[in-house]
Amino acid sequence: MPHCHTSIETLRRRGYRITPQRALIIEAIAHSCRHMTAEEVFARVQQRTPGVNIATIYRTLDFLVKEGLAHRADLGSGQVIYATIQHGPHIHLVCRQCGTVIEADEQLIAALRVQLQQQYGFAADLQHFALSGLCRDCQERFETEQ
Amino acid sequence: MPHCHTSIETLRRRGYRITPQRALIIEAIAHSCRHMTAEEVFARVQQRTPGVNIATIYRTLDFLVKEGLAHRADLGSGQVIYATIQHGPHIHLVCRQCGTVIEADEQLIAALRVQLQQQYGFAADLQHFALSGLCRDCQERFETEQ
DNA sequence: CTCCTACCTGCAAGTATTCGCAAAAGCAAT
DNA sequence: ATTGCTTTTGCGAATACTTGCAGGTAGGAG
Ligand SMILES: [Mn+2]
Ligand SMILES: [Mn+2]
Ligand SMILES: [Zn+2]
Ligand SMILES: [Zn+2]
Protein backbone atom coordinates (compact mmCIF):
# COMPACT_ATOMS: atom_id res chain seq x y z
CA MET A 1 0.00 0.00 0.00
CA PRO A 2 2.29 2.76 -1.17
CA HIS A 3 -0.28 5.48 -0.65
CA CYS A 4 2.07 7.26 1.71
CA HIS A 5 3.65 9.03 -1.24
CA THR A 6 0.31 10.27 -2.52
CA SER A 7 -0.50 11.76 0.89
CA ILE A 8 2.95 13.25 1.29
CA GLU A 9 2.83 14.86 -2.13
CA THR A 10 -0.63 16.24 -1.44
CA LEU A 11 0.57 17.85 1.77
CA ARG A 12 3.68 19.25 0.12
CA ARG A 13 1.57 20.74 -2.66
CA ARG A 14 -0.61 22.37 -0.04
CA GLY A 15 2.42 24.01 1.51
CA TYR A 16 2.84 21.89 4.64
CA ARG A 17 6.25 20.70 5.86
CA ILE A 18 7.09 17.04 5.67
CA THR A 19 8.76 16.12 8.92
CA PRO A 20 10.08 12.63 9.71
CA GLN A 21 7.31 12.34 12.31
CA ARG A 22 4.60 13.05 9.73
CA ALA A 23 6.09 10.60 7.25
CA LEU A 24 6.22 7.86 9.90
CA ILE A 25 2.65 8.42 11.01
CA ILE A 26 1.32 8.50 7.46
CA GLU A 27 3.21 5.29 6.73
CA ALA A 28 1.85 3.64 9.88
CA ILE A 29 -1.80 4.13 9.01
CA ALA A 30 -1.23 3.46 5.29
CA HIS A 31 0.33 0.06 6.05
CA SER A 32 -2.41 -1.06 8.40
CA CYS A 33 -5.40 -2.46 6.55
CA ARG A 34 -7.54 -1.93 9.68
CA HIS A 35 -8.26 0.96 12.03
CA MET A 36 -5.64 2.05 14.49
CA THR A 37 -5.88 3.84 17.81
CA ALA A 38 -3.49 6.69 18.56
CA GLU A 39 -1.65 4.36 20.97
CA GLU A 40 -1.19 1.75 18.24
CA VAL A 41 0.20 4.33 15.84
CA PHE A 42 2.45 5.56 18.65
CA ALA A 43 3.79 2.03 19.32
CA ARG A 44 4.55 1.45 15.66
CA VAL A 45 6.27 4.81 15.24
CA GLN A 46 8.29 4.27 18.44
CA GLN A 47 9.68 1.01 17.05
CA ARG A 48 11.33 2.87 14.21
CA THR A 49 12.10 6.20 15.81
CA PRO A 50 11.95 6.37 19.59
CA GLY A 51 11.51 9.87 20.92
CA VAL A 52 8.43 10.87 18.97
CA ASN A 53 5.96 12.27 21.44
CA ILE A 54 2.39 11.04 21.87
CA ALA A 55 1.12 14.62 21.52
CA THR A 56 2.63 14.71 18.04
CA ILE A 57 0.78 11.51 17.19
CA TYR A 58 -2.55 13.04 18.21
CA ARG A 59 -1.79 16.33 16.52
CA THR A 60 -0.73 14.69 13.29
CA LEU A 61 -3.67 12.28 13.13
CA ASP A 62 -6.07 15.17 13.64
CA PHE A 63 -4.17 17.17 11.04
CA LEU A 64 -4.55 14.33 8.51
CA VAL A 65 -8.29 14.17 9.24
CA LYS A 66 -8.60 17.92 8.78
CA GLU A 67 -6.76 17.64 5.45
CA GLY A 68 -9.10 14.88 4.34
CA LEU A 69 -6.40 12.19 4.24
CA ALA A 70 -7.63 10.10 7.16
CA HIS A 71 -10.90 9.25 8.89
CA ARG A 72 -11.64 9.33 12.56
CA ALA A 73 -14.43 7.38 14.24
CA ASP A 74 -15.52 7.08 17.84
CA LEU A 75 -17.19 3.72 18.40
CA GLY A 76 -17.52 4.41 22.11
CA SER A 77 -14.83 1.91 23.07
CA GLY A 78 -12.91 4.52 25.04
CA GLN A 79 -10.40 5.18 22.28
CA VAL A 80 -10.95 6.92 18.97
CA ILE A 81 -9.91 4.98 15.85
CA TYR A 82 -8.18 6.34 12.77
CA ALA A 83 -7.84 4.92 9.25
CA THR A 84 -6.61 6.09 5.86
CA ILE A 85 -9.15 7.17 3.28
CA GLN A 86 -8.18 3.96 1.46
CA HIS A 87 -9.91 1.98 4.20
CA GLY A 88 -12.96 0.58 2.42
CA PRO A 89 -16.03 2.75 3.05
CA HIS A 90 -18.59 1.47 5.57
CA ILE A 91 -20.71 2.48 8.53
CA HIS A 92 -20.35 1.11 12.05
CA LEU A 93 -23.67 0.53 13.78
CA VAL A 94 -22.95 0.57 17.52
CA CYS A 95 -25.56 -0.72 19.98
CA ARG A 96 -25.81 1.64 22.93
CA GLN A 97 -27.03 -1.17 25.21
CA CYS A 98 -24.70 -4.10 24.57
CA GLY A 99 -21.92 -2.49 22.55
CA THR A 100 -22.24 -4.85 19.57
CA VAL A 101 -20.86 -3.36 16.35
CA ILE A 102 -22.40 -4.19 12.96
CA GLU A 103 -20.60 -3.10 9.80
CA ALA A 104 -23.04 -1.72 7.23
CA ASP A 105 -22.66 -0.84 3.59
CA GLU A 106 -22.05 2.83 2.89
CA GLN A 107 -24.41 2.66 -0.11
CA LEU A 108 -27.09 3.29 2.49
CA ILE A 109 -26.04 6.91 2.82
CA ALA A 110 -25.35 7.70 -0.83
CA ALA A 111 -28.69 9.50 -1.14
CA LEU A 112 -28.11 11.38 2.10
CA ARG A 113 -24.74 12.64 0.87
CA VAL A 114 -26.32 14.08 -2.28
CA GLN A 115 -29.11 15.77 -0.31
CA LEU A 116 -26.72 17.35 2.19
CA GLN A 117 -24.67 18.75 -0.65
CA GLN A 118 -27.68 20.09 -2.54
CA GLN A 119 -29.66 21.52 0.37
CA TYR A 120 -26.85 22.74 2.63
CA GLY A 121 -23.73 22.82 0.44
CA PHE A 122 -22.21 20.46 2.97
CA ALA A 123 -19.80 17.73 1.85
CA ALA A 124 -20.31 15.14 4.60
CA ASP A 125 -17.57 12.66 5.52
CA LEU A 126 -19.66 9.53 5.26
CA GLN A 127 -17.02 7.02 4.16
CA HIS A 128 -16.38 5.80 7.66
CA PHE A 129 -18.44 6.80 10.61
CA ALA A 130 -20.39 5.42 13.54
CA LEU A 131 -24.09 5.51 14.31
CA SER A 132 -25.48 4.78 17.75
CA GLY A 133 -28.72 2.86 18.28
CA LEU A 134 -30.21 -0.44 19.42
CA CYS A 135 -29.45 -3.82 17.89
CA ARG A 136 -32.28 -6.26 17.21
CA ASP A 137 -31.81 -8.21 20.45
CA CYS A 138 -31.73 -5.13 22.64
CA GLN A 139 -34.84 -3.73 20.94
CA GLU A 140 -36.74 -6.90 21.84
CA ARG A 141 -35.49 -6.76 25.42
CA PHE A 142 -36.66 -3.15 25.65
CA GLU A 143 -40.11 -3.99 24.32
CA THR A 144 -40.77 -6.88 26.70
CA GLU A 145 -39.61 -4.72 29.67
CA GLN A 146 -41.72 -1.80 28.36
CA MET B 1 -41.67 20.96 30.83
CA PRO B 2 -42.85 18.36 33.29
CA HIS B 3 -41.31 15.47 31.39
CA CYS B 4 -39.20 14.63 34.42
CA HIS B 5 -42.10 12.58 35.75
CA THR B 6 -42.42 10.59 32.57
CA SER B 7 -38.72 9.73 32.67
CA ILE B 8 -38.80 8.92 36.37
CA GLU B 9 -41.81 6.65 35.97
CA THR B 10 -40.20 4.90 33.02
CA LEU B 11 -37.08 4.20 35.05
CA ARG B 12 -39.09 3.00 38.04
CA ARG B 13 -41.07 0.67 35.81
CA ARG B 14 -37.82 -0.73 34.48
CA GLY B 15 -36.70 -1.55 38.01
CA TYR B 16 -34.13 1.21 38.57
CA ARG B 17 -33.88 3.16 41.80
CA ILE B 18 -34.83 6.80 41.83
CA THR B 19 -32.18 8.57 43.86
CA PRO B 20 -32.28 12.31 44.59
CA GLN B 21 -29.24 12.66 42.31
CA ARG B 22 -31.03 11.02 39.39
CA ALA B 23 -34.15 13.13 39.92
CA LEU B 24 -32.08 16.34 39.97
CA ILE B 25 -30.17 15.46 36.82
CA ILE B 26 -33.31 14.45 34.95
CA GLU B 27 -34.93 17.70 36.02
CA ALA B 28 -31.89 19.71 34.92
CA ILE B 29 -31.91 18.49 31.35
CA ALA B 30 -35.70 18.47 31.13
CA HIS B 31 -35.88 22.17 32.09
CA SER B 32 -33.23 23.29 29.64
CA CYS B 33 -34.62 23.78 26.15
CA ARG B 34 -31.08 23.57 24.75
CA HIS B 35 -28.19 21.13 25.02
CA MET B 36 -26.15 20.99 28.20
CA THR B 37 -22.61 19.90 28.87
CA ALA B 38 -21.92 17.68 31.86
CA GLU B 39 -20.35 20.69 33.61
CA GLU B 40 -23.51 22.75 33.07
CA VAL B 41 -25.69 20.00 34.49
CA PHE B 42 -23.24 19.74 37.39
CA ALA B 43 -23.45 23.49 38.10
CA ARG B 44 -27.25 23.43 38.10
CA VAL B 45 -27.46 20.39 40.34
CA GLN B 46 -24.88 21.87 42.76
CA GLN B 47 -27.06 24.97 43.20
CA ARG B 48 -29.84 22.86 44.65
CA THR B 49 -27.90 20.09 46.34
CA PRO B 50 -24.21 20.68 46.89
CA GLY B 51 -22.24 17.49 47.39
CA VAL B 52 -23.31 15.64 44.29
CA ASN B 53 -20.18 14.37 42.60
CA ILE B 54 -19.21 15.07 38.98
CA ALA B 55 -18.70 11.32 38.43
CA THR B 56 -22.36 10.79 39.29
CA ILE B 57 -23.31 13.43 36.71
CA TYR B 58 -21.38 11.62 33.99
CA ARG B 59 -22.62 8.20 35.07
CA THR B 60 -26.23 9.32 35.21
CA LEU B 61 -26.18 11.16 31.87
CA ASP B 62 -24.70 8.07 30.21
CA PHE B 63 -27.27 5.94 31.98
CA LEU B 64 -30.10 8.11 30.62
CA VAL B 65 -28.65 7.82 27.11
CA LYS B 66 -28.41 4.06 27.46
CA GLU B 67 -32.04 3.96 28.60
CA GLY B 68 -33.09 6.01 25.60
CA LEU B 69 -34.20 9.03 27.67
CA ALA B 70 -31.46 11.44 26.57
CA HIS B 71 -29.29 12.09 23.54
CA ARG B 72 -25.56 12.64 23.46
CA ALA B 73 -23.71 14.42 20.69
CA ASP B 74 -20.07 15.27 20.18
CA LEU B 75 -19.75 18.38 18.02
CA GLY B 76 -16.00 18.41 18.45
CA SER B 77 -16.05 21.43 20.75
CA GLY B 78 -14.09 19.63 23.44
CA GLN B 79 -17.14 18.79 25.53
CA VAL B 80 -19.93 16.35 24.77
CA ILE B 81 -23.47 17.76 24.87
CA TYR B 82 -26.59 16.12 26.27
CA ALA B 83 -30.27 16.83 25.71
CA THR B 84 -33.61 15.22 26.53
CA ILE B 85 -35.37 13.27 23.85
CA GLN B 86 -37.87 16.14 23.86
CA HIS B 87 -35.22 18.35 22.29
CA GLY B 88 -36.51 18.87 18.73
CA PRO B 89 -34.92 16.43 16.31
CA HIS B 90 -32.18 17.78 14.04
CA ILE B 91 -28.73 17.04 12.67
CA HIS B 92 -25.63 19.10 13.37
CA LEU B 93 -23.36 19.47 10.35
CA VAL B 94 -19.89 20.28 11.69
CA CYS B 95 -17.18 21.59 9.35
CA ARG B 96 -13.90 19.84 10.09
CA GLN B 97 -11.90 22.80 8.76
CA CYS B 98 -13.47 25.87 10.30
CA GLY B 99 -15.73 24.38 12.96
CA THR B 100 -18.93 26.03 11.67
CA VAL B 101 -22.09 24.20 12.73
CA ILE B 102 -25.18 24.09 10.50
CA GLU B 103 -28.42 22.69 11.90
CA ALA B 104 -30.17 20.46 9.37
CA ASP B 105 -33.64 18.97 9.27
CA GLU B 106 -33.84 15.38 10.48
CA GLN B 107 -36.26 14.57 7.66
CA LEU B 108 -33.10 14.02 5.64
CA ILE B 109 -32.42 10.77 7.42
CA ALA B 110 -35.96 9.38 7.62
CA ALA B 111 -35.27 7.04 4.69
CA LEU B 112 -31.96 5.96 6.19
CA ARG B 113 -33.63 5.06 9.46
CA VAL B 114 -36.11 2.78 7.67
CA GLN B 115 -33.37 1.08 5.65
CA LEU B 116 -31.19 0.43 8.70
CA GLN B 117 -34.14 -1.16 10.46
CA GLN B 118 -35.10 -3.31 7.50
CA GLN B 119 -31.65 -4.44 6.38
CA TYR B 120 -29.86 -4.71 9.72
CA GLY B 121 -32.60 -4.74 12.35
CA PHE B 122 -30.86 -1.70 13.81
CA ALA B 123 -32.88 1.11 15.40
CA ALA B 124 -30.55 4.07 14.88
CA ASP B 125 -30.62 7.10 17.18
CA LEU B 126 -30.95 9.72 14.50
CA GLN B 127 -32.96 12.37 16.37
CA HIS B 128 -29.93 14.33 17.36
CA PHE B 129 -26.48 13.62 16.06
CA ALA B 130 -23.48 15.23 14.43
CA LEU B 131 -21.94 14.71 11.01
CA SER B 132 -18.46 15.85 10.12
CA GLY B 133 -17.60 17.30 6.71
CA LEU B 134 -16.72 20.45 4.82
CA CYS B 135 -18.89 23.56 4.61
CA ARG B 136 -19.35 25.31 1.28
CA ASP B 137 -16.64 27.91 1.92
CA CYS B 138 -14.04 25.36 2.98
CA GLN B 139 -14.81 23.18 -0.03
CA GLU B 140 -14.07 26.11 -2.33
CA ARG B 141 -10.86 26.89 -0.47
CA PHE B 142 -9.79 23.24 -0.84
CA GLU B 143 -10.50 23.22 -4.57
CA THR B 144 -8.53 26.39 -5.35
CA GLU B 145 -5.57 25.09 -3.30
CA GLN B 146 -5.94 21.67 -4.97
C1' DC C 1 -41.56 0.20 60.99
C1' DT C 2 -37.25 -2.52 60.47
C1' DC C 3 -34.26 -5.26 57.96
C1' DC C 4 -31.84 -6.71 53.98
C1' DT C 5 -29.48 -6.46 49.98
C1' DA C 6 -28.52 -5.19 45.41
C1' DC C 7 -27.95 -1.01 43.36
C1' DC C 8 -25.85 3.71 43.67
C1' DT C 9 -22.84 7.24 45.02
C1' DG C 10 -18.58 9.73 46.67
C1' DC C 11 -13.92 9.81 46.46
C1' DA C 12 -9.54 9.42 44.63
C1' DA C 13 -6.77 7.61 41.18
C1' DG C 14 -6.49 6.42 36.27
C1' DT C 15 -6.93 7.13 31.17
C1' DA C 16 -7.36 9.49 26.82
C1' DT C 17 -6.63 13.62 24.74
C1' DT C 18 -5.47 18.63 24.42
C1' DC C 19 -2.86 22.89 25.12
C1' DG C 20 0.81 26.56 26.00
C1' DC C 21 5.18 27.61 25.26
C1' DA C 22 10.05 27.57 24.15
C1' DA C 23 13.29 25.18 21.41
C1' DA C 24 14.08 22.68 16.95
C1' DA C 25 13.98 22.15 12.12
C1' DG C 26 11.74 22.38 7.23
C1' DC C 27 12.34 24.83 3.16
C1' DA C 28 12.78 28.85 0.26
C1' DA C 29 15.73 32.47 -0.80
C1' DT C 30 20.11 34.02 -0.89
C1' DA D 1 26.24 26.08 2.41
C1' DT D 2 23.98 29.84 5.24
C1' DT D 3 20.32 32.53 6.73
C1' DG D 4 15.75 33.63 8.19
C1' DC D 5 11.19 33.01 8.83
C1' DT D 6 7.54 30.15 10.08
C1' DT D 7 5.82 25.79 11.06
C1' DT D 8 6.19 21.89 13.88
C1' DT D 9 7.72 19.31 17.87
C1' DG D 10 8.72 17.91 22.76
C1' DC D 11 7.61 18.55 27.22
C1' DG D 12 4.84 19.20 31.06
C1' DA D 13 0.57 20.67 32.76
C1' DA D 14 -4.31 20.86 32.04
C1' DT D 15 -8.84 19.04 30.69
C1' DA D 16 -12.55 15.88 30.13
C1' DC D 17 -13.99 12.06 31.26
C1' DT D 18 -13.83 6.95 33.47
C1' DT D 19 -13.12 3.43 36.84
C1' DG D 20 -12.42 0.63 41.29
C1' DC D 21 -13.79 0.26 45.50
C1' DA D 22 -15.86 0.81 50.03
C1' DG D 23 -19.59 2.75 52.29
C1' DG D 24 -24.58 4.53 51.75
C1' DT D 25 -29.43 4.09 50.62
C1' DA D 26 -33.82 2.97 47.83
C1' DG D 27 -37.32 0.14 48.03
C1' DG D 28 -39.20 -4.59 48.59
C1' DA D 29 -39.98 -8.42 52.16
C1' DG D 30 -41.38 -9.45 56.53
MN1 LIG E 1 -14.15 0.64 9.90
MN1 LIG F 1 -29.04 20.09 18.92
ZN1 LIG G 1 -27.48 -4.49 21.64
ZN1 LIG H 1 -15.76 25.25 7.04
Side-chain angles (χ1 to χ4, degrees):
Chain A
M1 301 144 183
H3 286 292
C4 327
H5 297 293
T6 318
S7 292
I8 287 174
E9 279 320 303
T10 303
L11 292 178
R12 207 185 290 278
R13 205 177 334 114
R14 289 184 190 164
Y16 296 108
R17 295 183 185 171
I18 309 306
T19 61
Q21 291 92 331
R22 285 188 173 168
L24 280 163
I25 292 165
I26 287 168
E27 201 228 29
I29 62 169
H31 275 72
S32 168
C33 42
R34 330 171 297 103
H35 323 120
M36 291 179 92
T37 64
E39 282 296 335
E40 285 166 352
V41 174
F42 180 55
R44 185 177 169 123
V45 168
Q46 285 295 91
Q47 264 176 258
R48 307 214 169 186
T49 311
V52 177
N53 195 271
I54 187 75
T56 302
I57 305 287
Y58 279 108
R59 269 190 295 231
T60 304
L61 288 171
D62 288 351
F63 165 73
L64 294 173
V65 170
K66 221 175 130 213
E67 290 302 314
L69 301 172
H71 293 306
R72 178 210 321 234
D74 184 356
L75 308 193
S77 65
Q79 272 166 276
V80 168
I81 58 175
Y82 296 87
T84 41
I85 46 171
Q86 266 72 44
H87 184 74
H90 57 270
I91 309 168
H92 292 265
L93 307 176
V94 186
C95 179
R96 79 172 120 84
Q97 269 291 317
C98 67
T100 301
V101 180
I102 304 165
E103 302 217 346
D105 184 12
E106 61 111 34
Q107 274 312 106
L108 282 170
I109 40 75
L112 175 62
R113 165 182 285 123
V114 173
Q115 279 197 302
L116 286 170
Q117 183 65 259
Q118 286 179 345
Q119 293 185 33
Y120 298 93
F122 188 81
D125 300 330
L126 295 169
Q127 303 289 112
H128 191 229
F129 74 118
L131 276 180
S132 177
L134 281 184
C135 72
R136 208 190 306 267
D137 292 352
C138 289
Q139 280 172 67
E140 282 166 14
R141 212 167 304 137
F142 251 53
E143 277 156 27
T144 57
E145 286 175 13
Q146 284 195 24
Chain B
M1 300 145 183
H3 286 292
C4 328
H5 298 293
T6 318
S7 292
I8 286 173
E9 279 320 303
T10 302
L11 291 178
R12 208 187 290 278
R13 205 177 332 113
R14 290 185 188 164
Y16 297 107
R17 294 185 186 169
I18 309 305
T19 62
Q21 291 92 330
R22 285 187 173 170
L24 280 163
I25 293 165
I26 288 169
E27 200 227 27
I29 62 168
H31 276 71
S32 167
C33 42
R34 328 172 298 102
H35 323 119
M36 292 179 92
T37 64
E39 281 297 335
E40 285 166 351
V41 175
F42 181 56
R44 186 178 169 123
V45 168
Q46 284 296 91
Q47 264 176 258
R48 306 214 170 188
T49 311
V52 178
N53 196 272
I54 187 76
T56 302
I57 306 288
Y58 279 108
R59 270 190 293 232
T60 304
L61 288 171
D62 289 349
F63 165 74
L64 293 174
V65 170
K66 219 174 129 212
E67 291 302 314
L69 302 172
H71 294 306
R72 179 210 320 235
D74 183 357
L75 307 194
S77 66
Q79 273 166 278
V80 168
I81 57 175
Y82 297 86
T84 41
I85 46 171
Q86 266 72 43
H87 182 74
H90 57 269
I91 310 168
H92 292 265
L93 307 176
V94 186
C95 179
R96 80 172 119 84
Q97 269 290 318
C98 67
T100 302
V101 179
I102 305 164
E103 302 216 346
D105 184 11
E106 61 111 35
Q107 273 312 104
L108 282 170
I109 40 75
L112 176 61
R113 166 181 285 123
V114 172
Q115 279 197 302
L116 286 171
Q117 183 65 261
Q118 286 179 346
Q119 293 185 34
Y120 298 93
F122 187 82
D125 300 329
L126 295 169
Q127 304 287 111
H128 191 228
F129 73 118
L131 276 180
S132 178
L134 282 183
C135 72
R136 206 189 306 265
D137 292 352
C138 290
Q139 280 171 68
E140 283 166 14
R141 212 167 303 138
F142 251 52
E143 278 156 27
T144 57
E145 285 175 16
Q146 287 195 23

